[in-house]
Structure formats: structure tokens, C-alpha cells
Amino acid sequence: MSVPLYQAKAELFRTLGHPVRIRVLELLQDGPKPVSALLLEIDVEASNLSQQLAVLRRAGLVESTRDGASVMYTLSTPDVADLLAAGRRILGSVLADRDGLLVQLQADGRGR
């Protein structure tokens, strides 16, 4: 039996709910990278990065291939990069709205 679409979407967003996972996905937007390169860019222990990569792999957001002694990671689909871009746009809009509200509140002086 398959899960409802809303439940699958919730699971996807839960997967994205960790800063290391988001950073990995951001770094992979530029193309495939070995784990060693990811470790240089992300300030975590190798074991923590390995766990987060496993979560992303199980969710189908990244794919891994072995290249000699290295394991290379890549985004599973360009849609992942599109989702990150949408997140940035939404965040920018939300923060801009909050800043606008703050400016209005400060200009009013009474907080109404």
C-alpha cells in the first residue's frame, strides 16, 4: 500500500530539515563531489557526514558512485537544485515581509 502524497511530501521536507544535509545539497549543485571535498567544506566529523549522506541517499536526493578509492556524490535530479532555489526565494520573501513589518512598527512607534 502506498502512502498518501501529503505524507510523502512531509517526509521529504523532514529529510531537508537538517543543516548539514542542506549544505551537502548546496555544494552538489556545482556537480559531483567526493566525500573528501565535502568534508573540507562542511565542519563536521566524517562519521556525521556519512550518516547525513546515507539519509539523503535513502531519500533518493543524491546518488553515489565509487571512483577508485573515492566515493562521489551527485544530485539525483536537477529538481533538487530547483527546490533549493525555491526555498531561497521563499525565505527571501518571508524575511523581506518581516523586515517590512518591522519598519512599519518602528515608524508607527505605537506597535499597532
Side-chain angles (χ1 to χ4, degrees):
M1 184 167 81
S2 65
V3 299
L5 182 57
Y6 65 87
Q7 191 173 349
K9 287 179 182 178
E11 186 58 37
L12 171 66
F13 283 106
R14 270 194 292 278
T15 300
L16 296 173
H18 194 285
V20 171
R21 293 181 210 144
I22 293 293
R23 186 66 182 131
V24 166
L25 296 174
E26 288 175 343
L27 291 170
L28 293 178
Q29 289 180 100
D30 298 331
K33 294 204 180 334
V35 173
S36 58
L38 294 172
L39 274 170
L40 290 174
E41 295 287 333
I42 305 171
D43 187 28
V44 295
E45 296 291 325
S47 60
N48 187 308
L49 180 60
S50 178
Q51 289 173 345
Q52 303 310 326
L53 287 167
V55 170
L56 292 170
R57 252 191 343 268
R58 283 192 302 272
L61 297 175
V62 299
E63 297 173 346
S64 64
T65 55
R66 186 162 287 282
D67 183 19
S70 297
V71 178
M72 300 290 291
Y73 279 87
T74 187
L75 296 179
S76 61
T77 172
D79 292 333
V80 175
D82 293 343
L83 180 60
L84 293 172
R88 281 190 298 275
R89 286 191 308 274
I90 292 167
L91 187 57
S93 176
V94 168
L95 292 177
D97 288 347
R98 287 182 185 163
D99 289 345
L101 179 59
L102 179 60
V103 168
Q104 287 177 3
L105 289 172
Q106 289 171 339
D108 184 29
R110 290 168 281 185
R112 283 194 273 171

mmCIF file of all heavy atoms in Angstrom, residues 20-70:
data_model
loop_
_atom_site.group_PDB
_atom_site.id
_atom_site.type_symbol
_atom_site.label_atom_id
_atom_site.label_comp_id
_atom_site.label_asym_id
_atom_site.label_seq_id
_atom_site.Cartn_x
_atom_site.Cartn_y
_atom_site.Cartn_z
ATOM 1 N N VAL A 20 23.246 20.195 7.839
ATOM 2 C CA VAL A 20 24.328 19.512 7.101
ATOM 3 C C VAL A 20 23.793 18.972 5.781
ATOM 4 O O VAL A 20 24.452 19.069 4.746
ATOM 5 C CB VAL A 20 24.965 18.392 7.953
ATOM 6 C CG1 VAL A 20 25.916 17.541 7.122
ATOM 7 C CG2 VAL A 20 25.699 18.990 9.151
ATOM 8 N N ARG A 21 22.591 18.433 5.799
ATOM 9 C CA ARG A 21 22.009 17.897 4.560
ATOM 10 C C ARG A 21 21.777 19.013 3.547
ATOM 11 O O ARG A 21 22.073 18.852 2.358
ATOM 12 C CB ARG A 21 20.700 17.172 4.857
ATOM 13 C CG ARG A 21 20.911 15.923 5.668
ATOM 14 C CD ARG A 21 19.591 15.204 5.924
ATOM 15 N NE ARG A 21 19.698 14.507 7.191
ATOM 16 C CZ ARG A 21 18.732 14.352 8.050
ATOM 17 N NH1 ARG A 21 17.515 14.834 7.808
ATOM 18 N NH2 ARG A 21 18.922 13.701 9.182
ATOM 19 N N ILE A 22 21.276 20.147 4.020
ATOM 20 C CA ILE A 22 21.074 21.281 3.115
ATOM 21 C C ILE A 22 22.405 21.725 2.528
ATOM 22 O O ILE A 22 22.520 21.977 1.322
ATOM 23 C CB ILE A 22 20.378 22.452 3.842
ATOM 24 C CG1 ILE A 22 18.951 22.079 4.227
ATOM 25 C CG2 ILE A 22 20.411 23.730 2.987
ATOM 26 C CD1 ILE A 22 18.011 21.882 3.055
ATOM 27 N N ARG A 23 23.430 21.807 3.365
ATOM 28 C CA ARG A 23 24.751 22.252 2.878
ATOM 29 C C ARG A 23 25.304 21.278 1.845
ATOM 30 O O ARG A 23 25.871 21.703 0.822
ATOM 31 C CB ARG A 23 25.716 22.409 4.060
ATOM 32 C CG ARG A 23 27.038 23.004 3.672
ATOM 33 C CD ARG A 23 26.868 24.445 3.195
ATOM 34 N NE ARG A 23 28.160 24.965 2.775
ATOM 35 C CZ ARG A 23 28.373 25.583 1.624
ATOM 36 N NH1 ARG A 23 27.382 25.815 0.799
ATOM 37 N NH2 ARG A 23 29.566 26.001 1.304
ATOM 38 N N VAL A 24 25.150 19.979 2.075
ATOM 39 C CA VAL A 24 25.604 18.981 1.106
ATOM 40 C C VAL A 24 24.904 19.210 -0.231
ATOM 41 O O VAL A 24 25.549 19.246 -1.289
ATOM 42 C CB VAL A 24 25.337 17.547 1.618
ATOM 43 C CG1 VAL A 24 25.472 16.526 0.489
ATOM 44 C CG2 VAL A 24 26.276 17.195 2.760
ATOM 45 N N LEU A 25 23.592 19.359 -0.197
ATOM 46 C CA LEU A 25 22.838 19.562 -1.435
ATOM 47 C C LEU A 25 23.269 20.841 -2.140
ATOM 48 O O LEU A 25 23.401 20.869 -3.370
ATOM 49 C CB LEU A 25 21.338 19.579 -1.146
ATOM 50 C CG LEU A 25 20.761 18.268 -0.610
ATOM 51 C CD1 LEU A 25 19.303 18.448 -0.215
ATOM 52 C CD2 LEU A 25 20.933 17.128 -1.600
ATOM 53 N N GLU A 26 23.523 21.904 -1.373
ATOM 54 C CA GLU A 26 24.000 23.150 -1.975
ATOM 55 C C GLU A 26 25.335 22.932 -2.679
ATOM 56 O O GLU A 26 25.535 23.396 -3.804
ATOM 57 C CB GLU A 26 24.156 24.230 -0.909
ATOM 58 C CG GLU A 26 22.867 24.771 -0.378
ATOM 59 C CD GLU A 26 23.054 25.755 0.778
ATOM 60 O OE1 GLU A 26 24.143 25.795 1.387
ATOM 61 O OE2 GLU A 26 22.096 26.466 1.064
ATOM 62 N N LEU A 27 26.248 22.236 -2.032
ATOM 63 C CA LEU A 27 27.573 22.003 -2.622
ATOM 64 C C LEU A 27 27.492 21.127 -3.869
ATOM 65 O O LEU A 27 28.271 21.318 -4.811
ATOM 66 C CB LEU A 27 28.502 21.363 -1.586
ATOM 67 C CG LEU A 27 28.902 22.271 -0.426
ATOM 68 C CD1 LEU A 27 29.604 21.466 0.659
ATOM 69 C CD2 LEU A 27 29.786 23.410 -0.916
ATOM 70 N N LEU A 28 26.557 20.196 -3.888
ATOM 71 C CA LEU A 28 26.434 19.294 -5.032
ATOM 72 C C LEU A 28 25.761 19.953 -6.237
ATOM 73 O O LEU A 28 25.771 19.386 -7.331
ATOM 74 C CB LEU A 28 25.687 18.020 -4.629
ATOM 75 C CG LEU A 28 26.424 17.129 -3.638
ATOM 76 C CD1 LEU A 28 25.561 15.923 -3.273
ATOM 77 C CD2 LEU A 28 27.780 16.692 -4.169
ATOM 78 N N GLN A 29 25.219 21.142 -6.052
ATOM 79 C CA GLN A 29 24.623 21.852 -7.190
ATOM 80 C C GLN A 29 25.661 22.168 -8.257
ATOM 81 O O GLN A 29 25.341 22.293 -9.430
ATOM 82 C CB GLN A 29 23.971 23.164 -6.730
ATOM 83 C CG GLN A 29 22.719 22.956 -5.930
ATOM 84 C CD GLN A 29 22.116 24.276 -5.492
ATOM 85 O OE1 GLN A 29 21.178 24.738 -6.118
ATOM 86 N NE2 GLN A 29 22.657 24.869 -4.447
ATOM 87 N N ASP A 30 26.926 22.291 -7.840
ATOM 88 C CA ASP A 30 28.010 22.605 -8.777
ATOM 89 C C ASP A 30 28.531 21.379 -9.507
ATOM 90 O O ASP A 30 29.426 21.493 -10.328
ATOM 91 C CB ASP A 30 29.171 23.275 -8.034
ATOM 92 C CG ASP A 30 28.766 24.593 -7.404
ATOM 93 O OD1 ASP A 30 27.855 25.260 -7.942
ATOM 94 O OD2 ASP A 30 29.334 24.961 -6.363
ATOM 95 N N GLY A 31 28.000 20.208 -9.184
ATOM 96 C CA GLY A 31 28.436 18.976 -9.834
ATOM 97 C C GLY A 31 28.893 17.952 -8.818
ATOM 98 O O GLY A 31 28.942 18.234 -7.607
ATOM 99 N N PRO A 32 29.231 16.757 -9.302
ATOM 100 C CA PRO A 32 29.643 15.673 -8.408
ATOM 101 C C PRO A 32 30.860 16.048 -7.573
ATOM 102 O O PRO A 32 31.741 16.780 -8.044
ATOM 103 C CB PRO A 32 29.983 14.527 -9.367
ATOM 104 C CG PRO A 32 29.295 14.864 -10.644
ATOM 105 C CD PRO A 32 29.235 16.355 -10.705
ATOM 106 N N LYS A 33 30.870 15.560 -6.343
ATOM 107 C CA LYS A 33 31.995 15.831 -5.436
ATOM 108 C C LYS A 33 32.306 14.572 -4.642
ATOM 109 O O LYS A 33 31.398 13.839 -4.232
ATOM 110 C CB LYS A 33 31.644 16.945 -4.461
ATOM 111 C CG LYS A 33 31.444 18.283 -5.102
ATOM 112 C CD LYS A 33 31.672 19.404 -4.121
ATOM 113 C CE LYS A 33 31.496 20.772 -4.695
ATOM 114 N NZ LYS A 33 31.681 20.990 -6.072
ATOM 115 N N PRO A 34 33.592 14.348 -4.370
ATOM 116 C CA PRO A 34 33.953 13.239 -3.488
ATOM 117 C C PRO A 34 33.686 13.607 -2.028
ATOM 118 O O PRO A 34 33.624 14.797 -1.674
ATOM 119 C CB PRO A 34 35.449 13.054 -3.741
ATOM 120 C CG PRO A 34 35.924 14.397 -4.176
ATOM 121 C CD PRO A 34 34.772 15.029 -4.905
ATOM 122 N N VAL A 35 33.544 12.619 -1.200
ATOM 123 C CA VAL A 35 33.301 12.850 0.222
ATOM 124 C C VAL A 35 34.396 13.729 0.810
ATOM 125 O O VAL A 35 34.127 14.621 1.618
ATOM 126 C CB VAL A 35 33.198 11.505 0.984
ATOM 127 C CG1 VAL A 35 33.108 11.735 2.480
ATOM 128 C CG2 VAL A 35 31.995 10.726 0.499
ATOM 129 N N SER A 36 35.636 13.520 0.384
ATOM 130 C CA SER A 36 36.746 14.310 0.924
ATOM 131 C C SER A 36 36.547 15.804 0.663
ATOM 132 O O SER A 36 36.850 16.636 1.522
ATOM 133 C CB SER A 36 38.076 13.836 0.336
ATOM 134 O OG SER A 36 38.052 13.930 -1.083
ATOM 135 N N ALA A 37 36.036 16.169 -0.502
ATOM 136 C CA ALA A 37 35.783 17.580 -0.812
ATOM 137 C C ALA A 37 34.637 18.122 0.042
ATOM 138 O O ALA A 37 34.679 19.266 0.498
ATOM 139 C CB ALA A 37 35.473 17.754 -2.293
ATOM 140 N N LEU A 38 33.622 17.297 0.261
ATOM 141 C CA LEU A 38 32.506 17.733 1.107
ATOM 142 C C LEU A 38 32.985 17.975 2.536
ATOM 143 O O LEU A 38 32.585 18.944 3.177
ATOM 144 C CB LEU A 38 31.386 16.688 1.083
ATOM 145 C CG LEU A 38 30.683 16.501 -0.263
ATOM 146 C CD1 LEU A 38 29.740 15.307 -0.215
ATOM 147 C CD2 LEU A 38 29.953 17.758 -0.676
ATOM 148 N N LEU A 39 33.855 17.100 3.020
ATOM 149 C CA LEU A 39 34.383 17.255 4.381
ATOM 150 C C LEU A 39 35.164 18.555 4.541
ATOM 151 O O LEU A 39 35.112 19.186 5.601
ATOM 152 C CB LEU A 39 35.277 16.069 4.746
ATOM 153 C CG LEU A 39 34.572 14.854 5.310
ATOM 154 C CD1 LEU A 39 35.528 13.674 5.406
ATOM 155 C CD2 LEU A 39 33.935 15.160 6.653
ATOM 156 N N LEU A 40 35.877 18.958 3.496
ATOM 157 C CA LEU A 40 36.637 20.209 3.561
ATOM 158 C C LEU A 40 35.721 21.426 3.661
ATOM 159 O O LEU A 40 36.093 22.442 4.241
ATOM 160 C CB LEU A 40 37.542 20.347 2.335
ATOM 161 C CG LEU A 40 38.728 19.395 2.267
ATOM 162 C CD1 LEU A 40 39.447 19.543 0.931
ATOM 163 C CD2 LEU A 40 39.674 19.634 3.424
ATOM 164 N N GLU A 41 34.537 21.321 3.093
ATOM 165 C CA GLU A 41 33.594 22.447 3.042
ATOM 166 C C GLU A 41 32.634 22.498 4.223
ATOM 167 O O GLU A 41 32.058 23.540 4.503
ATOM 168 C CB GLU A 41 32.776 22.386 1.747
ATOM 169 C CG GLU A 41 33.580 22.574 0.494
ATOM 170 C CD GLU A 41 34.037 24.003 0.296
ATOM 171 O OE1 GLU A 41 33.361 24.928 0.795
ATOM 172 O OE2 GLU A 41 35.071 24.200 -0.352
ATOM 173 N N ILE A 42 32.432 21.350 4.877
ATOM 174 C CA ILE A 42 31.439 21.266 5.947
ATOM 175 C C ILE A 42 32.154 20.899 7.239
ATOM 176 O O ILE A 42 32.877 19.918 7.295
ATOM 177 C CB ILE A 42 30.362 20.204 5.629
ATOM 178 C CG1 ILE A 42 29.716 20.500 4.278
ATOM 179 C CG2 ILE A 42 29.306 20.161 6.724
ATOM 180 C CD1 ILE A 42 28.801 19.404 3.783
ATOM 181 N N ASP A 43 31.947 21.668 8.269
ATOM 182 C CA ASP A 43 32.644 21.477 9.541
ATOM 183 C C ASP A 43 31.928 20.438 10.412
ATOM 184 O O ASP A 43 31.234 20.785 11.372
ATOM 185 C CB ASP A 43 32.748 22.810 10.281
ATOM 186 C CG ASP A 43 33.612 22.720 11.520
ATOM 187 O OD1 ASP A 43 34.514 21.867 11.553
ATOM 188 O OD2 ASP A 43 33.367 23.500 12.463
ATOM 189 N N VAL A 44 32.069 19.160 10.007
ATOM 190 C CA VAL A 44 31.514 18.047 10.784
ATOM 191 C C VAL A 44 32.500 16.891 10.749
ATOM 192 O O VAL A 44 33.395 16.841 9.902
ATOM 193 C CB VAL A 44 30.141 17.567 10.238
ATOM 194 C CG1 VAL A 44 29.084 18.628 10.366
ATOM 195 C CG2 VAL A 44 30.258 17.068 8.824
ATOM 196 N N GLU A 45 32.310 15.970 11.667
ATOM 197 C CA GLU A 45 33.115 14.755 11.679
ATOM 198 C C GLU A 45 32.736 13.888 10.482
ATOM 199 O O GLU A 45 31.590 13.926 10.009
ATOM 200 C CB GLU A 45 32.871 13.966 12.973
ATOM 201 C CG GLU A 45 33.297 14.680 14.224
ATOM 202 C CD GLU A 45 34.810 14.815 14.326
ATOM 203 O OE1 GLU A 45 35.524 13.881 13.879
ATOM 204 O OE2 GLU A 45 35.274 15.845 14.826
ATOM 205 N N ALA A 46 33.675 13.078 10.022
ATOM 206 C CA ALA A 46 33.423 12.199 8.879
ATOM 207 C C ALA A 46 32.246 11.266 9.138
ATOM 208 O O ALA A 46 31.427 11.019 8.247
ATOM 209 C CB ALA A 46 34.680 11.404 8.550
ATOM 210 N N SER A 47 32.127 10.772 10.364
ATOM 211 C CA SER A 47 31.029 9.849 10.676
ATOM 212 C C SER A 47 29.677 10.550 10.587
ATOM 213 O O SER A 47 28.693 9.967 10.106
ATOM 214 C CB SER A 47 31.221 9.239 12.066
ATOM 215 O OG SER A 47 31.252 10.248 13.055
ATOM 216 N N ASN A 48 29.615 11.817 11.017
ATOM 217 C CA ASN A 48 28.368 12.579 10.933
ATOM 218 C C ASN A 48 28.003 12.824 9.471
ATOM 219 O O ASN A 48 26.842 12.660 9.078
ATOM 220 C CB ASN A 48 28.501 13.896 11.688
ATOM 221 C CG ASN A 48 27.195 14.652 11.771
ATOM 222 O OD1 ASN A 48 26.539 14.891 10.765
ATOM 223 N ND2 ASN A 48 26.835 15.054 12.974
ATOM 224 N N LEU A 49 28.976 13.212 8.668
ATOM 225 C CA LEU A 49 28.713 13.442 7.245
ATOM 226 C C LEU A 49 28.231 12.153 6.586
ATOM 227 O O LEU A 49 27.283 12.169 5.800
ATOM 228 C CB LEU A 49 29.958 13.973 6.539
ATOM 229 C CG LEU A 49 29.792 14.235 5.044
ATOM 230 C CD1 LEU A 49 28.695 15.273 4.777
ATOM 231 C CD2 LEU A 49 31.109 14.677 4.429
ATOM 232 N N SER A 50 28.853 11.045 6.934
ATOM 233 C CA SER A 50 28.455 9.756 6.378
ATOM 234 C C SER A 50 26.997 9.441 6.703
ATOM 235 O O SER A 50 26.236 8.984 5.836
ATOM 236 C CB SER A 50 29.371 8.663 6.915
ATOM 237 O OG SER A 50 28.972 7.409 6.431
ATOM 238 N N GLN A 51 26.594 9.704 7.939
ATOM 239 C CA GLN A 51 25.198 9.468 8.338
ATOM 240 C C GLN A 51 24.250 10.353 7.539
ATOM 241 O O GLN A 51 23.197 9.890 7.073
ATOM 242 C CB GLN A 51 25.011 9.757 9.825
ATOM 243 C CG GLN A 51 25.657 8.753 10.732
ATOM 244 C CD GLN A 51 25.599 9.179 12.194
ATOM 245 O OE1 GLN A 51 25.328 10.341 12.507
ATOM 246 N NE2 GLN A 51 25.856 8.238 13.090
ATOM 247 N N GLN A 52 24.611 11.613 7.369
ATOM 248 C CA GLN A 52 23.729 12.541 6.647
ATOM 249 C C GLN A 52 23.647 12.185 5.159
ATOM 250 O O GLN A 52 22.582 12.286 4.546
ATOM 251 C CB GLN A 52 24.194 13.991 6.843
ATOM 252 C CG GLN A 52 24.286 14.436 8.281
ATOM 253 C CD GLN A 52 23.036 14.148 9.095
ATOM 254 O OE1 GLN A 52 21.926 14.200 8.589
ATOM 255 N NE2 GLN A 52 23.214 13.839 10.368
ATOM 256 N N LEU A 53 24.763 11.752 4.591
ATOM 257 C CA LEU A 53 24.754 11.310 3.195
ATOM 258 C C LEU A 53 23.871 10.074 3.026
ATOM 259 O O LEU A 53 23.157 9.945 2.028
ATOM 260 C CB LEU A 53 26.175 11.026 2.715
ATOM 261 C CG LEU A 53 27.049 12.253 2.484
ATOM 262 C CD1 LEU A 53 28.511 11.855 2.312
ATOM 263 C CD2 LEU A 53 26.560 13.053 1.283
ATOM 264 N N ALA A 54 23.906 9.177 4.005
ATOM 265 C CA ALA A 54 23.065 7.974 3.950
ATOM 266 C C ALA A 54 21.582 8.350 3.968
ATOM 267 O O ALA A 54 20.778 7.764 3.226
ATOM 268 C CB ALA A 54 23.398 7.036 5.108
ATOM 269 N N VAL A 55 21.216 9.331 4.779
ATOM 270 C CA VAL A 55 19.825 9.792 4.831
ATOM 271 C C VAL A 55 19.418 10.348 3.465
ATOM 272 O O VAL A 55 18.343 10.040 2.941
ATOM 273 C CB VAL A 55 19.625 10.851 5.941
ATOM 274 C CG1 VAL A 55 18.259 11.499 5.841
ATOM 275 C CG2 VAL A 55 19.832 10.225 7.309
ATOM 276 N N LEU A 56 20.278 11.165 2.876
ATOM 277 C CA LEU A 56 19.986 11.749 1.567
ATOM 278 C C LEU A 56 19.900 10.682 0.480
ATOM 279 O O LEU A 56 19.054 10.773 -0.427
ATOM 280 C CB LEU A 56 21.043 12.797 1.205
ATOM 281 C CG LEU A 56 21.041 14.068 2.048
ATOM 282 C CD1 LEU A 56 22.289 14.905 1.763
ATOM 283 C CD2 LEU A 56 19.774 14.877 1.813
ATOM 284 N N ARG A 57 20.758 9.674 0.563
ATOM 285 C CA ARG A 57 20.712 8.563 -0.399
ATOM 286 C C ARG A 57 19.412 7.784 -0.283
ATOM 287 O O ARG A 57 18.748 7.495 -1.282
ATOM 288 C CB ARG A 57 21.895 7.611 -0.156
ATOM 289 C CG ARG A 57 22.966 7.651 -1.201
ATOM 290 C CD ARG A 57 23.997 6.535 -1.106
ATOM 291 N NE ARG A 57 24.086 5.808 0.132
ATOM 292 C CZ ARG A 57 24.900 6.097 1.149
ATOM 293 N NH1 ARG A 57 25.703 7.136 1.079
ATOM 294 N NH2 ARG A 57 24.920 5.360 2.228
ATOM 295 N N ARG A 58 19.037 7.441 0.954
ATOM 296 C CA ARG A 58 17.793 6.675 1.169
ATOM 297 C C ARG A 58 16.571 7.448 0.680
ATOM 298 O O ARG A 58 15.613 6.859 0.197
ATOM 299 C CB ARG A 58 17.623 6.308 2.643
ATOM 300 C CG ARG A 58 18.490 5.151 3.089
ATOM 301 C CD ARG A 58 18.085 4.622 4.460
ATOM 302 N NE ARG A 58 18.138 5.622 5.517
ATOM 303 C CZ ARG A 58 19.206 5.915 6.244
ATOM 304 N NH1 ARG A 58 20.341 5.282 6.032
ATOM 305 N NH2 ARG A 58 19.139 6.844 7.186
ATOM 306 N N ALA A 59 16.626 8.766 0.801
ATOM 307 C CA ALA A 59 15.513 9.605 0.354
ATOM 308 C C ALA A 59 15.512 9.785 -1.167
ATOM 309 O O ALA A 59 14.564 10.327 -1.730
ATOM 310 C CB ALA A 59 15.576 10.967 1.041
ATOM 311 N N GLY A 60 16.584 9.362 -1.816
ATOM 312 C CA GLY A 60 16.671 9.482 -3.268
ATOM 313 C C GLY A 60 17.075 10.856 -3.759
ATOM 314 O O GLY A 60 16.929 11.163 -4.942
ATOM 315 N N LEU A 61 17.611 11.685 -2.870
ATOM 316 C CA LEU A 61 18.005 13.038 -3.260
ATOM 317 C C LEU A 61 19.417 13.096 -3.841
ATOM 318 O O LEU A 61 19.736 14.017 -4.596
ATOM 319 C CB LEU A 61 17.890 13.989 -2.073
ATOM 320 C CG LEU A 61 16.470 14.161 -1.528
ATOM 321 C CD1 LEU A 61 16.483 15.020 -0.267
ATOM 322 C CD2 LEU A 61 15.562 14.763 -2.574
ATOM 323 N N VAL A 62 20.263 12.141 -3.461
ATOM 324 C CA VAL A 62 21.621 12.058 -4.001
ATOM 325 C C VAL A 62 21.888 10.633 -4.452
ATOM 326 O O VAL A 62 21.217 9.694 -4.021
ATOM 327 C CB VAL A 62 22.702 12.499 -2.975
ATOM 328 C CG1 VAL A 62 22.511 13.942 -2.555
ATOM 329 C CG2 VAL A 62 22.754 11.571 -1.784
ATOM 330 N N GLU A 63 22.871 10.516 -5.305
ATOM 331 C CA GLU A 63 23.348 9.212 -5.762
ATOM 332 C C GLU A 63 24.842 9.159 -5.520
ATOM 333 O O GLU A 63 25.520 10.182 -5.543
ATOM 334 C CB GLU A 63 23.051 9.031 -7.250
ATOM 335 C CG GLU A 63 21.574 9.037 -7.563
ATOM 336 C CD GLU A 63 21.274 9.030 -9.056
ATOM 337 O OE1 GLU A 63 22.197 9.294 -9.867
ATOM 338 O OE2 GLU A 63 20.119 8.779 -9.409
ATOM 339 N N SER A 64 25.328 7.948 -5.286
ATOM 340 C CA SER A 64 26.765 7.784 -5.054
ATOM 341 C C SER A 64 27.335 6.774 -6.037
ATOM 342 O O SER A 64 26.655 5.838 -6.457
ATOM 343 C CB SER A 64 27.031 7.326 -3.622
ATOM 344 O OG SER A 64 26.466 6.052 -3.399
ATOM 345 N N THR A 65 28.583 7.023 -6.411
ATOM 346 C CA THR A 65 29.328 6.088 -7.257
ATOM 347 C C THR A 65 30.747 6.012 -6.713
ATOM 348 O O THR A 65 31.251 6.979 -6.137
ATOM 349 C CB THR A 65 29.373 6.550 -8.730
ATOM 350 O OG1 THR A 65 29.913 7.873 -8.795
ATOM 351 C CG2 THR A 65 28.004 6.525 -9.364
ATOM 352 N N ARG A 66 31.350 4.872 -6.903
ATOM 353 C CA ARG A 66 32.733 4.705 -6.462
ATOM 354 C C ARG A 66 33.645 5.055 -7.626
ATOM 355 O O ARG A 66 33.434 4.631 -8.751
ATOM 356 C CB ARG A 66 32.967 3.269 -5.998
ATOM 357 C CG ARG A 66 34.343 3.087 -5.389
ATOM 358 C CD ARG A 66 34.438 1.843 -4.544
ATOM 359 N NE ARG A 66 33.742 1.941 -3.277
ATOM 360 C CZ ARG A 66 34.186 2.570 -2.204
ATOM 361 N NH1 ARG A 66 35.333 3.206 -2.251
ATOM 362 N NH2 ARG A 66 33.506 2.564 -1.082
ATOM 363 N N ASP A 67 34.668 5.851 -7.320
ATOM 364 C CA ASP A 67 35.676 6.245 -8.311
ATOM 365 C C ASP A 67 37.028 5.913 -7.708
ATOM 366 O O ASP A 67 37.623 6.739 -7.006
ATOM 367 C CB ASP A 67 35.540 7.738 -8.631
ATOM 368 C CG ASP A 67 36.517 8.197 -9.702
ATOM 369 O OD1 ASP A 67 37.042 7.337 -10.438
ATOM 370 O OD2 ASP A 67 36.754 9.413 -9.807
ATOM 371 N N GLY A 68 37.483 4.707 -7.937
ATOM 372 C CA GLY A 68 38.715 4.240 -7.300
ATOM 373 C C GLY A 68 38.488 4.120 -5.813
ATOM 374 O O GLY A 68 37.569 3.438 -5.365
ATOM 375 N N ALA A 69 39.305 4.830 -5.029
ATOM 376 C CA ALA A 69 39.167 4.791 -3.572
ATOM 377 C C ALA A 69 38.153 5.813 -3.062
ATOM 378 O O ALA A 69 37.787 5.797 -1.892
ATOM 379 C CB ALA A 69 40.527 5.044 -2.920
ATOM 380 N N SER A 70 37.683 6.692 -3.940
ATOM 381 C CA SER A 70 36.759 7.757 -3.532
ATOM 382 C C SER A 70 35.316 7.377 -3.815
ATOM 383 O O SER A 70 35.025 6.638 -4.750
ATOM 384 C CB SER A 70 37.051 9.043 -4.305
ATOM 385 O OG SER A 70 38.336 9.519 -4.024
#
